[in-house]
Amino acid sequence: MERTLINLVDISKQFGDTLVLDEMNLTVRENEFVTLLGPSGCGKTTTLRIIGGFVQPTTGKVIFDGKDITKLPPNKRPVNTVFQKYALFTHMNVEENIAFGLKIRGKSKDYIRDKIKYALKLVNLDGYEKRSVNALSGGQQQRIAIARAIVNEPRVLLLDEPLGALDLKLRQDMQYELIRMKKELGITFIYVTHDQEEALTMSDTIVVMNQGYIQQMGTPEQIYNEPENAFVADFIGESNIVDGVMLEDRLVEILGVKFPCVDEGFGRNKPVDVVIRPEDIILSETEPGLLDGVVTHLIFKGVHYEMEVMAGGYEWLVHSTKCFPVGTKVSLKVKPFDIQIMNKPESEDEMAVEIDG
Amino acid sequence: MKNAMKKIYLILMLFYLYAPIMVLMVLSFNESRSRVTWGGFSLKWYEDLFTNSMILDALKTTLIIALVSAAAATVLGTLACLGINRMRKTPRTIVMGMNNIPMMNAEIVTGISLMLCFVAFGITLSFKTVLLAHITFNVPYVILSVMPKLKQTEVSVYEAAVDLGASPVYAFFKVVLPDLMPGILSGFLMAFTMSLDDFVITHFTRGAGVNTLSTLIYSEVRRGIKPTMYALSTLMFVSVLVLLILINVRPQKKKDVIE
């Protein structure tokens, strides 16, 4: 376990009447790739800007490596930011952009030249020193923005939706590039995005946020396979969320049909939310004792077929490599391990953060 | 046929617009004093112009006022833009609206009100009052030309500089100001031309003995017109023309570089 680098303690932020962050606590360890994931307005960018020093929290503390840096201005913090819209200095060429921070720190010419060379190599743009930044494509501009940040050897690199403005193919390429850079540099990355695929691909830890609260924090596998509430389940990937009753340990009743599962400790006859991923539903010819339904929609998606099955009064989303034409009568089967049981939200507060629309 | 009509129409329009100035220019090279007969080509009115100390004094005053007022207005206007840009939406709209009113206002109203204001506050009309008046009416033009540039400049560019270790002041001069420079420059040039050819406001706010070229021409003309004035007017027209070309060509060049 690496040691703690950043500690956000009871951070709240209010803009006018709007509470953007509500007593948030977050720990980031050294050399970790942490992703703040959530819909727009969830407070993820504000969190990043508080760490960067651009926003002062209304209450709470930012602890960096044991020291309180809450009041430290951004230019004195050992972190650098890669902005969503690149924010390159358009009147300077590539070299001058990258050298900006180093010149302020009074580094020697030789040192700066070597650093620029190294940084351009790292972002795969060797030989671009003298180019005008206006002549670069979006992807290249973002690489320069990354190079400009990392030459200063920050302890933490903050990335604010850095791939948001790029097209799909480039975005996927850049995801691998970022993982590679992270490995080469060996520094902490805090990454903000609303794209769940980006988060799942790159992160060591994902922090799912909504309306100023952390909904769940964990590895990509934990977040995807064991969502803690309906919001997380719905936001990460596609899922079927249905009402169920936990009859006893390892047995849940969904829409009148009993399903064996692996969850324990919910008590007897307890109403719960049940999450089943579309790819975990196995369709078969009708069999007695199972949930029966009729295929209502069928779309070919390339990798799989996407089907909607009306069963037990709920429209199930199903992904399968087998094709069942519309109108086919089918039974739904789910392996016990693939059924995820969640407590129903208890208080009104939790209800409020459940699902947006 | 249609094309020919279009061309004729265009030539006619341009003729109407520029014929008076062409006549003035031609007459400024006329050997004869007459306004109807051509007495041969001569530069004598220009010679007269550059040996006439009254005209040269007025030229000096005009240039000093134009330069100083444009420079002061540029600084004030740019600072005002920075402040206005940080305002919330409603006050910003109101302030920008108030900024536009003086430009729409009839010059004679501005001139008279400035004069009344100076008198009311016990300030003797002099060279200084003309300068103050010119700064006043130039500021809105600078704001109008700097504001769009400032809106284009991303806040994140300033933040990026600070993030990289720059102090706020260093970040402003090194990163924000260069981005604003085209707007600031065209604001300065616009203010300069505005000041250069202003007559009405200068006329009302000048003290005894203070003459700019426009007020001098006005008083000379009342005494009977001399072709020297044609020469002076020609020079003024040409210099304003050159400035306007400079203002309009600059941003286009910048655009070419980006594309």
Side-chain angles (χ1 to χ4, degrees):
Chain A
M1 193 68 123
E2 305 268 358
R3 68 201 185 93
T4 299
L5 190 61
I6 296 175
N7 231 331
L8 299 185
V9 187
D10 294 334
I11 294 278
S12 295
K13 179 65 196 178
Q14 211 162 350
F15 288 115
D17 293 337
T18 332
L19 191 62
V20 182
L21 290 174
D22 193 1
E23 299 198 353
M24 180 190 183
N25 285 283
L26 177 68
T27 303
V28 178
R29 293 190 305 273
E30 200 150 40
N31 210 0
E32 200 178 8
F33 195 130
V34 180
T35 299
L36 306 178
L37 174 67
S40 53
C42 73
K44 56 190 193 299
T45 298
T46 307
T47 309
L48 197 78
R49 289 171 65 78
I50 285 174
I51 300 173
F54 299 109
V55 170
Q56 276 291 315
T58 313
T59 61
K61 273 191 228 155
V62 183
I63 311 289
F64 188 95
D65 204 10
K67 278 190 284 275
D68 185 349
I69 60 162
T70 317
K71 296 271 179 269
L72 216 58
N75 50 338
K76 301 267 192 314
R77 296 193 180 198
V79 299
N80 283 116
T81 310
V82 176
F83 294 87
Q84 185 174 13
K85 288 183 192 153
Y86 324 139
L88 293 177
F89 310 136
T90 47
H91 58 284
M92 302 181 189
N93 65 20
V94 167
E95 186 178 47
E96 288 162 338
N97 263 280
I98 300 177
F100 190 85
L102 297 172
K103 275 188 189 149
I104 290 170
R105 281 175 183 77
K107 303 286 186 193
S108 76
K109 275 207 174 112
D110 289 345
Y111 178 88
I112 293 178
R113 189 165 11 86
D114 289 349
K115 267 287 179 192
I116 291 172
K117 222 175 151 97
Y118 166 75
L120 283 176
K121 209 175 169 64
L122 186 81
V123 297
N124 277 336
L125 288 175
D126 322 57
Y128 275 63
E129 279 91 341
K130 302 290 176 202
R131 301 274 188 106
S132 153
V133 291
N134 299 313
L136 301 179
S137 70
Q140 289 169 332
Q141 291 196 21
Q142 192 55 284
R143 283 156 198 257
I144 298 301
I146 294 170
R148 183 179 66 177
I150 56 157
V151 287
N152 304 293
E153 300 179 351
R155 303 273 303 272
V156 178
L157 191 64
L158 308 175
L159 301 109
D160 185 7
E161 307 217 16
L163 311 184
L166 307 181
D167 62 57
L168 182 67
K169 185 76 184 69
L170 203 53
R171 213 153 62 212
Q172 286 167 342
D173 291 346
M174 281 298 285
Q175 288 174 18
Y176 292 110
E177 296 260 331
L178 280 170
I179 299 170
R180 180 182 58 79
M181 285 178 212
K182 161 91 180 46
K183 283 198 181 118
E184 270 191 62
L185 292 165
I187 58 173
T188 309
F189 274 36
I190 302 179
Y191 192 96
V192 162
T193 184
H194 62 264
D195 182 325
Q196 42 124 348
E197 189 215 318
E198 250 172 58
L200 293 170
T201 312
M202 297 190 286
S203 326
D204 298 321
T205 306
I206 296 177
V207 180
V208 184
M209 294 180 69
N210 190 34
Q211 303 197 350
Y213 294 93
I214 293 181
Q215 300 288 322
Q216 188 176 353
M217 204 169 142
T219 64
E221 288 88 347
Q222 282 168 347
I223 300 279
Y224 189 84
N225 293 329
E226 298 149 39
E228 274 172 18
N229 57 39
F231 174 80
V232 177
D234 193 56
F235 192 74
I236 310 281
E238 291 174 294
S239 49
N240 299 289
I241 305 174
V242 288
D243 291 330
V245 178
M246 202 67 187
L247 296 174
E248 56 190 73
D249 279 355
R250 298 163 190 255
L251 190 64
V252 62
E253 189 185 277
I254 305 164
L255 306 171
V257 180
K258 295 186 178 84
F259 281 83
C261 62
V262 294
D263 295 81
E264 295 174 356
F266 283 87
R268 284 177 165 271
N269 296 321
K270 172 106 195 297
V272 288
D273 278 334
V274 181
V275 177
I276 302 172
R277 296 286 181 194
E279 66 270 25
D280 291 334
I281 296 175
I282 304 157
L283 295 181
S284 65
E285 309 279 315
T286 46
E287 284 174 47
L290 293 178
L291 191 57
D292 291 337
V294 180
V295 177
T296 55
H297 280 280
L298 172 71
I299 302 164
F300 178 57
K301 287 278 202 173
V303 186
H304 58 255
Y305 292 95
E306 184 176 294
M307 283 164 279
E308 277 170 25
V309 178
M310 197 65 195
Y314 179 82
E315 195 145 76
W316 297 81
L317 188 67
V318 181
H319 291 171
S320 171
T321 47
K322 266 196 254 168
C323 171
F324 292 85
V326 172
T328 315
K329 286 192 174 146
V330 289
S331 281
L332 278 70
K333 266 196 280 190
V334 187
K335 288 179 187 159
F337 183 79
D338 291 330
I339 295 177
Q340 171 69 18
I341 309 288
M342 300 177 308
N343 274 315
K344 284 211 170 274
E346 276 163 16
S347 64
E348 271 189 31
D349 244 16
E350 271 183 76
M351 279 297 280
V353 298
E354 197 182 356
I355 301 171
D356 272 341
Chain B
M1 185 59 195
K2 213 175 164 190
N3 269 329
M5 289 293 280
K6 273 187 195 167
K7 267 186 192 145
I8 291 167
Y9 179 74
L10 180 68
I11 290 166
L12 262 175
M13 289 309 287
L14 288 174
F15 178 78
Y16 275 121
L17 280 173
Y18 287 98
I21 294 160
M22 293 312 287
V23 170
L24 176 96
M25 284 173 146
V26 169
L27 284 179
S28 77
F29 295 107
N30 191 358
E31 170 78 36
S32 148
R33 263 187 102 91
S34 160
R35 264 170 258 173
V36 265
T37 49
W38 179 250
F41 181 83
S42 152
L43 285 174
K44 77 172 186 195
W45 305 116
Y46 285 87
E47 261 178 64
D48 185 35
L49 177 68
F50 285 107
T51 47
N52 185 328
S53 69
M54 214 159 66
I55 291 176
L56 288 181
D57 267 358
L59 176 69
K60 207 173 102 189
T61 313
T62 307
L63 285 178
I64 289 174
I65 286 177
L67 275 173
V68 175
S69 73
T74 304
V75 173
L76 288 174
T78 307
L79 288 175
C81 281
L82 294 176
I84 294 168
N85 199 39
R86 292 290 294 268
M87 284 177 170
R88 282 164 190 275
K89 199 170 176 295
T90 319
R92 189 171 61 210
T93 316
I94 294 170
V95 171
M96 282 310 283
M98 283 169 67
N99 180 60
N100 292 339
I101 293 168
M103 286 186 288
M104 308 287 195
N105 200 3
E107 281 201 326
I108 188 134
V109 178
T110 312
I112 290 175
S113 52
L114 275 165
M115 178 193 71
L116 286 176
C117 186
F118 288 134
V119 172
F121 284 99
I123 304 168
T124 329
L125 295 180
S126 64
F127 170 81
K128 271 185 220 152
T129 48
V130 179
L131 189 59
L132 282 174
H134 278 229
I135 294 172
T136 309
F137 76 73
N138 272 337
V139 168
Y141 292 98
V142 176
I143 293 179
L144 205 67
S145 106
V146 175
M147 208 57 193
K149 268 281 159 211
L150 191 60
K151 279 201 184 134
Q152 274 173 33
T153 308
E154 298 282 346
V155 187
S156 57
V157 171
Y158 167 79
E159 285 184 345
V162 175
D163 183 74
L164 292 166
S167 65
V169 176
Y170 185 84
F172 175 76
F173 281 105
K174 203 74 183 175
V175 173
V176 180
L177 203 59
D179 264 6
L180 299 184
M181 222 47 206
I184 293 175
L185 211 69
S186 68
F188 175 82
L189 288 176
M190 209 185 321
F192 184 77
T193 30
M194 281 301 178
S195 166
L196 207 61
D197 69 12
D198 173 74
F199 165 72
V200 180
I201 295 169
T202 313
H203 182 70
F204 281 104
T205 53
R206 75 203 173 102
V210 181
N211 257 324
T212 63
L213 285 178
S214 51
T215 57
L216 184 75
I217 293 173
Y218 178 71
S219 46
E220 290 289 304
V221 166
R222 276 196 307 188
R223 266 190 263 146
I225 209 150
K226 247 171 83 186
T228 317
M229 289 302 123
Y230 306 160
L232 182 57
S233 304
T234 303
L235 286 180
M236 279 177 77
F237 172 75
V238 171
S239 39
V240 171
L241 189 71
V242 168
L243 272 177
L244 280 175
I245 290 171
L246 274 179
I247 293 174
N248 288 308
V249 168
R250 255 197 64 89
Q252 264 160 22
K253 253 195 210 156
K254 182 85 181 169
K255 249 183 241 156
D256 290 345
V257 173
I258 292 168
E259 284 156 11

